[in-house]
Amino acid sequence: MSTTMRQSQSAVIERGAELEQVLETEPFETAWAGEARWYVQFLRPAPGSTVEMRVQISPDGINWIDHESVSAVQSEAVGLLSIPVERFGHWLRLRVEQKAGQESPLLRIYLELKE
C-alpha cells in the first residue's frame, strides 16, 4: 500500500457571476491532473430557465473546442450540479449558456482536480 498522498486542488472559478446569455470561465491549467470535476451552484435560482453547460478543452489556453467525451449538461437554473471530466489535456474551462427564461441566474463555479 502506498503512503503517498495524491495531489489535489480546489478552485472557486466564479463567485456570484450573473449569467447574461453566455459565461465562459477563465482558462485553468490542468496538465498535472488525472481527473477533474466541475460544480455549478445557482446562488440565485431562475425558475423556468434552462441553462446548458459545456466542458471545453484547449492545447494553449487560447483556442477552445467542446470536449468530445463530455456531453452538454442541461439544467433548470436551481440547486447544485456536478460534471465529471477525464482525458482533458492541458487546459479546461466551462461554457455556460442560458437557453430559455427571462431571469438571469447568479452562479458560483468550482473546479476540483486530482492526480
PDB file of all heavy atoms in Angstrom, residues 70-101:
ATOM      1  N   VAL A  70     -17.517  14.565 -23.206  1.00  0.00           N
ATOM      2  CA  VAL A  70     -18.426  15.057 -22.165  1.00  0.00           C
ATOM      3  C   VAL A  70     -19.606  15.732 -22.847  1.00  0.00           C
ATOM      4  O   VAL A  70     -19.454  16.772 -23.496  1.00  0.00           O
ATOM      5  CB  VAL A  70     -17.724  16.061 -21.217  1.00  0.00           C
ATOM      6  CG1 VAL A  70     -18.680  16.538 -20.136  1.00  0.00           C
ATOM      7  CG2 VAL A  70     -16.475  15.447 -20.601  1.00  0.00           C
ATOM      8  N   SER A  71     -20.777  15.138 -22.715  1.00  0.00           N
ATOM      9  CA  SER A  71     -21.983  15.705 -23.318  1.00  0.00           C
ATOM     10  C   SER A  71     -22.368  16.996 -22.616  1.00  0.00           C
ATOM     11  O   SER A  71     -22.096  17.175 -21.427  1.00  0.00           O
ATOM     12  CB  SER A  71     -23.149  14.722 -23.213  1.00  0.00           C
ATOM     13  OG  SER A  71     -22.842  13.531 -23.893  1.00  0.00           O
ATOM     14  N   ALA A  72     -23.010  17.888 -23.361  1.00  0.00           N
ATOM     15  CA  ALA A  72     -23.539  19.112 -22.763  1.00  0.00           C
ATOM     16  C   ALA A  72     -24.545  18.729 -21.682  1.00  0.00           C
ATOM     17  O   ALA A  72     -25.295  17.763 -21.831  1.00  0.00           O
ATOM     18  CB  ALA A  72     -24.197  19.979 -23.822  1.00  0.00           C
ATOM     19  N   VAL A  73     -24.548  19.466 -20.592  1.00  0.00           N
ATOM     20  CA  VAL A  73     -25.470  19.218 -19.484  1.00  0.00           C
ATOM     21  C   VAL A  73     -26.499  20.342 -19.469  1.00  0.00           C
ATOM     22  O   VAL A  73     -26.122  21.514 -19.420  1.00  0.00           O
ATOM     23  CB  VAL A  73     -24.716  19.183 -18.132  1.00  0.00           C
ATOM     24  CG1 VAL A  73     -25.680  19.075 -16.968  1.00  0.00           C
ATOM     25  CG2 VAL A  73     -23.708  18.046 -18.123  1.00  0.00           C
ATOM     26  N   GLN A  74     -27.775  19.978 -19.545  1.00  0.00           N
ATOM     27  CA  GLN A  74     -28.838  20.977 -19.441  1.00  0.00           C
ATOM     28  C   GLN A  74     -29.504  20.849 -18.088  1.00  0.00           C
ATOM     29  O   GLN A  74     -29.664  19.753 -17.573  1.00  0.00           O
ATOM     30  CB  GLN A  74     -29.860  20.810 -20.554  1.00  0.00           C
ATOM     31  CG  GLN A  74     -29.319  21.265 -21.887  1.00  0.00           C
ATOM     32  CD  GLN A  74     -30.406  21.700 -22.847  1.00  0.00           C
ATOM     33  OE1 GLN A  74     -31.583  21.535 -22.596  1.00  0.00           O
ATOM     34  NE2 GLN A  74     -29.990  22.257 -23.959  1.00  0.00           N
ATOM     35  N   SER A  75     -29.874  22.003 -17.528  1.00  0.00           N
ATOM     36  CA  SER A  75     -30.440  22.013 -16.192  1.00  0.00           C
ATOM     37  C   SER A  75     -31.388  23.186 -16.042  1.00  0.00           C
ATOM     38  O   SER A  75     -31.223  24.214 -16.714  1.00  0.00           O
ATOM     39  CB  SER A  75     -29.311  22.141 -15.161  1.00  0.00           C
ATOM     40  OG  SER A  75     -29.816  22.316 -13.866  1.00  0.00           O
ATOM     41  N   GLU A  76     -32.368  23.028 -15.157  1.00  0.00           N
ATOM     42  CA  GLU A  76     -33.104  24.192 -14.690  1.00  0.00           C
ATOM     43  C   GLU A  76     -32.107  24.971 -13.843  1.00  0.00           C
ATOM     44  O   GLU A  76     -31.180  24.407 -13.281  1.00  0.00           O
ATOM     45  CB  GLU A  76     -34.294  23.768 -13.844  1.00  0.00           C
ATOM     46  CG  GLU A  76     -35.332  23.002 -14.604  1.00  0.00           C
ATOM     47  CD  GLU A  76     -36.497  22.582 -13.725  1.00  0.00           C
ATOM     48  OE1 GLU A  76     -36.519  22.936 -12.527  1.00  0.00           O
ATOM     49  OE2 GLU A  76     -37.387  21.909 -14.243  1.00  0.00           O
ATOM     50  N   ALA A  77     -32.263  26.229 -13.745  1.00  0.00           N
ATOM     51  CA  ALA A  77     -31.277  27.059 -13.050  1.00  0.00           C
ATOM     52  C   ALA A  77     -31.547  27.074 -11.544  1.00  0.00           C
ATOM     53  O   ALA A  77     -31.785  28.123 -10.949  1.00  0.00           O
ATOM     54  CB  ALA A  77     -31.290  28.463 -13.629  1.00  0.00           C
ATOM     55  N   VAL A  78     -31.486  25.884 -10.923  1.00  0.00           N
ATOM     56  CA  VAL A  78     -31.688  25.762  -9.473  1.00  0.00           C
ATOM     57  C   VAL A  78     -30.736  24.711  -8.906  1.00  0.00           C
ATOM     58  O   VAL A  78     -30.341  23.786  -9.595  1.00  0.00           O
ATOM     59  CB  VAL A  78     -33.150  25.373  -9.116  1.00  0.00           C
ATOM     60  CG1 VAL A  78     -34.119  26.459  -9.528  1.00  0.00           C
ATOM     61  CG2 VAL A  78     -33.547  24.061  -9.755  1.00  0.00           C
ATOM     62  N   GLY A  79     -30.338  24.892  -7.642  1.00  0.00           N
ATOM     63  CA  GLY A  79     -29.567  23.870  -6.938  1.00  0.00           C
ATOM     64  C   GLY A  79     -28.089  23.847  -7.255  1.00  0.00           C
ATOM     65  O   GLY A  79     -27.475  24.861  -7.581  1.00  0.00           O
ATOM     66  N   LEU A  80     -27.522  22.649  -7.148  1.00  0.00           N
ATOM     67  CA  LEU A  80     -26.093  22.403  -7.345  1.00  0.00           C
ATOM     68  C   LEU A  80     -25.946  21.194  -8.245  1.00  0.00           C
ATOM     69  O   LEU A  80     -26.643  20.191  -8.056  1.00  0.00           O
ATOM     70  CB  LEU A  80     -25.427  22.126  -5.981  1.00  0.00           C
ATOM     71  CG  LEU A  80     -23.971  21.731  -5.960  1.00  0.00           C
ATOM     72  CD1 LEU A  80     -23.076  22.892  -6.380  1.00  0.00           C
ATOM     73  CD2 LEU A  80     -23.573  21.257  -4.562  1.00  0.00           C
ATOM     74  N   LEU A  81     -25.062  21.269  -9.222  1.00  0.00           N
ATOM     75  CA  LEU A  81     -24.832  20.102 -10.080  1.00  0.00           C
ATOM     76  C   LEU A  81     -23.346  19.876 -10.261  1.00  0.00           C
ATOM     77  O   LEU A  81     -22.529  20.748  -9.988  1.00  0.00           O
ATOM     78  CB  LEU A  81     -25.546  20.234 -11.417  1.00  0.00           C
ATOM     79  CG  LEU A  81     -25.187  21.391 -12.318  1.00  0.00           C
ATOM     80  CD1 LEU A  81     -24.096  20.994 -13.275  1.00  0.00           C
ATOM     81  CD2 LEU A  81     -26.410  21.816 -13.089  1.00  0.00           C
ATOM     82  N   SER A  82     -23.004  18.684 -10.739  1.00  0.00           N
ATOM     83  CA  SER A  82     -21.622  18.242 -10.862  1.00  0.00           C
ATOM     84  C   SER A  82     -21.395  17.658 -12.252  1.00  0.00           C
ATOM     85  O   SER A  82     -22.260  16.960 -12.785  1.00  0.00           O
ATOM     86  CB  SER A  82     -21.367  17.185  -9.782  1.00  0.00           C
ATOM     87  OG  SER A  82     -20.221  16.452 -10.056  1.00  0.00           O
ATOM     88  N   ILE A  83     -20.221  17.944 -12.819  1.00  0.00           N
ATOM     89  CA  ILE A  83     -19.858  17.415 -14.139  1.00  0.00           C
ATOM     90  C   ILE A  83     -18.449  16.807 -14.045  1.00  0.00           C
ATOM     91  O   ILE A  83     -17.463  17.532 -13.958  1.00  0.00           O
ATOM     92  CB  ILE A  83     -19.864  18.530 -15.213  1.00  0.00           C
ATOM     93  CG1 ILE A  83     -21.202  19.274 -15.224  1.00  0.00           C
ATOM     94  CG2 ILE A  83     -19.535  17.943 -16.585  1.00  0.00           C
ATOM     95  CD1 ILE A  83     -21.178  20.563 -16.012  1.00  0.00           C
ATOM     96  N   PRO A  84     -18.340  15.462 -14.060  1.00  0.00           N
ATOM     97  CA  PRO A  84     -17.023  14.824 -14.020  1.00  0.00           C
ATOM     98  C   PRO A  84     -16.354  14.863 -15.399  1.00  0.00           C
ATOM     99  O   PRO A  84     -17.029  14.794 -16.427  1.00  0.00           O
ATOM    100  CB  PRO A  84     -17.337  13.384 -13.609  1.00  0.00           C
ATOM    101  CG  PRO A  84     -18.736  13.160 -14.058  1.00  0.00           C
ATOM    102  CD  PRO A  84     -19.430  14.488 -14.024  1.00  0.00           C
ATOM    103  N   VAL A  85     -15.008  14.979 -15.399  1.00  0.00           N
ATOM    104  CA  VAL A  85     -14.254  15.088 -16.654  1.00  0.00           C
ATOM    105  C   VAL A  85     -12.998  14.222 -16.574  1.00  0.00           C
ATOM    106  O   VAL A  85     -12.302  14.231 -15.562  1.00  0.00           O
ATOM    107  CB  VAL A  85     -13.827  16.549 -16.924  1.00  0.00           C
ATOM    108  CG1 VAL A  85     -13.197  16.676 -18.300  1.00  0.00           C
ATOM    109  CG2 VAL A  85     -14.983  17.513 -16.773  1.00  0.00           C
ATOM    110  N   GLU A  86     -12.722  13.477 -17.655  1.00  0.00           N
ATOM    111  CA  GLU A  86     -11.495  12.691 -17.773  1.00  0.00           C
ATOM    112  C   GLU A  86     -10.856  12.964 -19.127  1.00  0.00           C
ATOM    113  O   GLU A  86     -11.520  13.436 -20.043  1.00  0.00           O
ATOM    114  CB  GLU A  86     -11.810  11.198 -17.652  1.00  0.00           C
ATOM    115  CG  GLU A  86     -12.350  10.795 -16.292  1.00  0.00           C
ATOM    116  CD  GLU A  86     -12.702   9.315 -16.229  1.00  0.00           C
ATOM    117  OE1 GLU A  86     -12.755   8.655 -17.288  1.00  0.00           O
ATOM    118  OE2 GLU A  86     -12.927   8.826 -15.119  1.00  0.00           O
ATOM    119  N   ARG A  87      -9.561  12.650 -19.267  1.00  0.00           N
ATOM    120  CA  ARG A  87      -8.815  12.791 -20.530  1.00  0.00           C
ATOM    121  C   ARG A  87      -9.025  14.176 -21.149  1.00  0.00           C
ATOM    122  O   ARG A  87      -9.592  14.322 -22.214  1.00  0.00           O
ATOM    123  CB  ARG A  87      -9.225  11.690 -21.504  1.00  0.00           C
ATOM    124  CG  ARG A  87      -8.853  10.309 -21.002  1.00  0.00           C
ATOM    125  CD  ARG A  87      -9.210   9.211 -21.983  1.00  0.00           C
ATOM    126  NE  ARG A  87     -10.590   9.197 -22.415  1.00  0.00           N
ATOM    127  CZ  ARG A  87     -11.603   8.664 -21.716  1.00  0.00           C
ATOM    128  NH1 ARG A  87     -11.385   8.104 -20.556  1.00  0.00           N
ATOM    129  NH2 ARG A  87     -12.821   8.672 -22.199  1.00  0.00           N
ATOM    130  N   PHE A  88      -8.500  15.197 -20.465  1.00  0.00           N
ATOM    131  CA  PHE A  88      -8.776  16.578 -20.865  1.00  0.00           C
ATOM    132  C   PHE A  88      -7.565  17.388 -21.303  1.00  0.00           C
ATOM    133  O   PHE A  88      -7.705  18.533 -21.694  1.00  0.00           O
ATOM    134  CB  PHE A  88      -9.501  17.328 -19.751  1.00  0.00           C
ATOM    135  CG  PHE A  88      -8.944  17.075 -18.387  1.00  0.00           C
ATOM    136  CD1 PHE A  88      -7.831  17.736 -17.943  1.00  0.00           C
ATOM    137  CD2 PHE A  88      -9.550  16.142 -17.557  1.00  0.00           C
ATOM    138  CE1 PHE A  88      -7.319  17.492 -16.684  1.00  0.00           C
ATOM    139  CE2 PHE A  88      -9.058  15.895 -16.291  1.00  0.00           C
ATOM    140  CZ  PHE A  88      -7.932  16.569 -15.850  1.00  0.00           C
ATOM    141  N   GLY A  89      -6.373  16.860 -21.240  1.00  0.00           N
ATOM    142  CA  GLY A  89      -5.216  17.605 -21.728  1.00  0.00           C
ATOM    143  C   GLY A  89      -4.754  18.706 -20.788  1.00  0.00           C
ATOM    144  O   GLY A  89      -4.782  18.554 -19.579  1.00  0.00           O
ATOM    145  N   HIS A  90      -4.341  19.843 -21.360  1.00  0.00           N
ATOM    146  CA  HIS A  90      -3.656  20.879 -20.593  1.00  0.00           C
ATOM    147  C   HIS A  90      -4.543  21.978 -20.016  1.00  0.00           C
ATOM    148  O   HIS A  90      -4.221  22.547 -18.983  1.00  0.00           O
ATOM    149  CB  HIS A  90      -2.566  21.529 -21.458  1.00  0.00           C
ATOM    150  CG  HIS A  90      -1.425  20.602 -21.714  1.00  0.00           C
ATOM    151  ND1 HIS A  90      -0.385  20.448 -20.847  1.00  0.00           N
ATOM    152  CD2 HIS A  90      -1.187  19.760 -22.743  1.00  0.00           C
ATOM    153  CE1 HIS A  90       0.466  19.562 -21.318  1.00  0.00           C
ATOM    154  NE2 HIS A  90       0.002  19.122 -22.461  1.00  0.00           N
ATOM    155  N   TRP A  91      -5.609  22.349 -20.685  1.00  0.00           N
ATOM    156  CA  TRP A  91      -6.418  23.486 -20.243  1.00  0.00           C
ATOM    157  C   TRP A  91      -7.901  23.123 -20.238  1.00  0.00           C
ATOM    158  O   TRP A  91      -8.387  22.440 -21.137  1.00  0.00           O
ATOM    159  CB  TRP A  91      -6.215  24.679 -21.182  1.00  0.00           C
ATOM    160  CG  TRP A  91      -4.844  25.245 -21.141  1.00  0.00           C
ATOM    161  CD1 TRP A  91      -3.763  24.831 -21.883  1.00  0.00           C
ATOM    162  CD2 TRP A  91      -4.384  26.312 -20.326  1.00  0.00           C
ATOM    163  NE1 TRP A  91      -2.666  25.585 -21.576  1.00  0.00           N
ATOM    164  CE2 TRP A  91      -3.015  26.515 -20.617  1.00  0.00           C
ATOM    165  CE3 TRP A  91      -4.983  27.129 -19.378  1.00  0.00           C
ATOM    166  CZ2 TRP A  91      -2.253  27.492 -20.000  1.00  0.00           C
ATOM    167  CZ3 TRP A  91      -4.218  28.112 -18.758  1.00  0.00           C
ATOM    168  CH2 TRP A  91      -2.872  28.275 -19.073  1.00  0.00           C
ATOM    169  N   LEU A  92      -8.618  23.637 -19.241  1.00  0.00           N
ATOM    170  CA  LEU A  92     -10.071  23.448 -19.129  1.00  0.00           C
ATOM    171  C   LEU A  92     -10.761  24.792 -18.906  1.00  0.00           C
ATOM    172  O   LEU A  92     -10.183  25.703 -18.310  1.00  0.00           O
ATOM    173  CB  LEU A  92     -10.422  22.576 -17.917  1.00  0.00           C
ATOM    174  CG  LEU A  92     -10.313  21.068 -18.028  1.00  0.00           C
ATOM    175  CD1 LEU A  92     -10.600  20.432 -16.670  1.00  0.00           C
ATOM    176  CD2 LEU A  92     -11.271  20.526 -19.072  1.00  0.00           C
ATOM    177  N   ARG A  93     -11.985  24.875 -19.372  1.00  0.00           N
ATOM    178  CA  ARG A  93     -12.885  25.957 -18.989  1.00  0.00           C
ATOM    179  C   ARG A  93     -14.305  25.420 -19.129  1.00  0.00           C
ATOM    180  O   ARG A  93     -14.546  24.374 -19.751  1.00  0.00           O
ATOM    181  CB  ARG A  93     -12.673  27.228 -19.799  1.00  0.00           C
ATOM    182  CG  ARG A  93     -13.291  27.224 -21.176  1.00  0.00           C
ATOM    183  CD  ARG A  93     -13.162  28.578 -21.837  1.00  0.00           C
ATOM    184  NE  ARG A  93     -13.745  28.553 -23.168  1.00  0.00           N
ATOM    185  CZ  ARG A  93     -13.669  29.536 -24.026  1.00  0.00           C
ATOM    186  NH1 ARG A  93     -13.014  30.646 -23.723  1.00  0.00           N
ATOM    187  NH2 ARG A  93     -14.236  29.433 -25.218  1.00  0.00           N
ATOM    188  N   LEU A  94     -15.253  26.156 -18.563  1.00  0.00           N
ATOM    189  CA  LEU A  94     -16.656  25.777 -18.645  1.00  0.00           C
ATOM    190  C   LEU A  94     -17.407  26.891 -19.351  1.00  0.00           C
ATOM    191  O   LEU A  94     -17.240  28.076 -19.021  1.00  0.00           O
ATOM    192  CB  LEU A  94     -17.232  25.549 -17.243  1.00  0.00           C
ATOM    193  CG  LEU A  94     -18.602  24.894 -17.183  1.00  0.00           C
ATOM    194  CD1 LEU A  94     -18.564  23.463 -17.713  1.00  0.00           C
ATOM    195  CD2 LEU A  94     -19.139  24.909 -15.751  1.00  0.00           C
ATOM    196  N   ARG A  95     -18.209  26.510 -20.331  1.00  0.00           N
ATOM    197  CA  ARG A  95     -19.059  27.463 -21.052  1.00  0.00           C
ATOM    198  C   ARG A  95     -20.490  27.243 -20.584  1.00  0.00           C
ATOM    199  O   ARG A  95     -21.007  26.124 -20.678  1.00  0.00           O
ATOM    200  CB  ARG A  95     -18.957  27.232 -22.555  1.00  0.00           C
ATOM    201  CG  ARG A  95     -19.717  28.244 -23.376  1.00  0.00           C
ATOM    202  CD  ARG A  95     -19.509  27.986 -24.874  1.00  0.00           C
ATOM    203  NE  ARG A  95     -19.916  29.101 -25.682  1.00  0.00           N
ATOM    204  CZ  ARG A  95     -21.176  29.373 -26.011  1.00  0.00           C
ATOM    205  NH1 ARG A  95     -22.158  28.578 -25.604  1.00  0.00           N
ATOM    206  NH2 ARG A  95     -21.464  30.428 -26.755  1.00  0.00           N
ATOM    207  N   VAL A  96     -21.108  28.301 -20.085  1.00  0.00           N
ATOM    208  CA  VAL A  96     -22.475  28.232 -19.564  1.00  0.00           C
ATOM    209  C   VAL A  96     -23.336  29.171 -20.401  1.00  0.00           C
ATOM    210  O   VAL A  96     -22.987  30.338 -20.587  1.00  0.00           O
ATOM    211  CB  VAL A  96     -22.532  28.646 -18.074  1.00  0.00           C
ATOM    212  CG1 VAL A  96     -23.940  28.480 -17.529  1.00  0.00           C
ATOM    213  CG2 VAL A  96     -21.533  27.849 -17.252  1.00  0.00           C
ATOM    214  N   GLU A  97     -24.452  28.654 -20.904  1.00  0.00           N
ATOM    215  CA  GLU A  97     -25.338  29.457 -21.753  1.00  0.00           C
ATOM    216  C   GLU A  97     -26.780  29.312 -21.292  1.00  0.00           C
ATOM    217  O   GLU A  97     -27.259  28.203 -21.060  1.00  0.00           O
ATOM    218  CB  GLU A  97     -25.210  29.007 -23.211  1.00  0.00           C
ATOM    219  CG  GLU A  97     -26.061  29.808 -24.164  1.00  0.00           C
ATOM    220  CD  GLU A  97     -25.863  29.416 -25.620  1.00  0.00           C
ATOM    221  OE1 GLU A  97     -25.018  28.539 -25.905  1.00  0.00           O
ATOM    222  OE2 GLU A  97     -26.554  29.990 -26.475  1.00  0.00           O
ATOM    223  N   GLN A  98     -27.466  30.443 -21.178  1.00  0.00           N
ATOM    224  CA  GLN A  98     -28.891  30.421 -20.849  1.00  0.00           C
ATOM    225  C   GLN A  98     -29.655  30.219 -22.147  1.00  0.00           C
ATOM    226  O   GLN A  98     -29.605  31.046 -23.047  1.00  0.00           O
ATOM    227  CB  GLN A  98     -29.315  31.720 -20.167  1.00  0.00           C
ATOM    228  CG  GLN A  98     -30.744  31.649 -19.674  1.00  0.00           C
ATOM    229  CD  GLN A  98     -31.085  32.777 -18.702  1.00  0.00           C
ATOM    230  OE1 GLN A  98     -30.244  33.595 -18.364  1.00  0.00           O
ATOM    231  NE2 GLN A  98     -32.314  32.803 -18.258  1.00  0.00           N
ATOM    232  N   LYS A  99     -30.355  29.086 -22.245  1.00  0.00           N
ATOM    233  CA  LYS A  99     -31.079  28.717 -23.463  1.00  0.00           C
ATOM    234  C   LYS A  99     -32.521  29.208 -23.456  1.00  0.00           C
ATOM    235  O   LYS A  99     -33.104  29.419 -24.506  1.00  0.00           O
ATOM    236  CB  LYS A  99     -31.070  27.191 -23.639  1.00  0.00           C
ATOM    237  CG  LYS A  99     -29.701  26.615 -23.903  1.00  0.00           C
ATOM    238  CD  LYS A  99     -29.218  27.042 -25.255  1.00  0.00           C
ATOM    239  CE  LYS A  99     -28.093  26.184 -25.753  1.00  0.00           C
ATOM    240  NZ  LYS A  99     -27.720  26.500 -27.121  1.00  0.00           N
ATOM    241  N   ALA A 100     -33.111  29.340 -22.251  1.00  0.00           N
ATOM    242  CA  ALA A 100     -34.501  29.784 -22.141  1.00  0.00           C
ATOM    243  C   ALA A 100     -34.695  30.454 -20.787  1.00  0.00           C
ATOM    244  O   ALA A 100     -33.982  30.160 -19.830  1.00  0.00           O
ATOM    245  CB  ALA A 100     -35.449  28.593 -22.280  1.00  0.00           C
ATOM    246  N   GLY A 101     -35.676  31.346 -20.723  1.00  0.00           N
ATOM    247  CA  GLY A 101     -36.006  32.003 -19.472  1.00  0.00           C
ATOM    248  C   GLY A 101     -35.681  33.483 -19.503  1.00  0.00           C
ATOM    249  O   GLY A 101     -34.804  33.930 -20.249  1.00  0.00           O
TER     250      GLY A 101
END
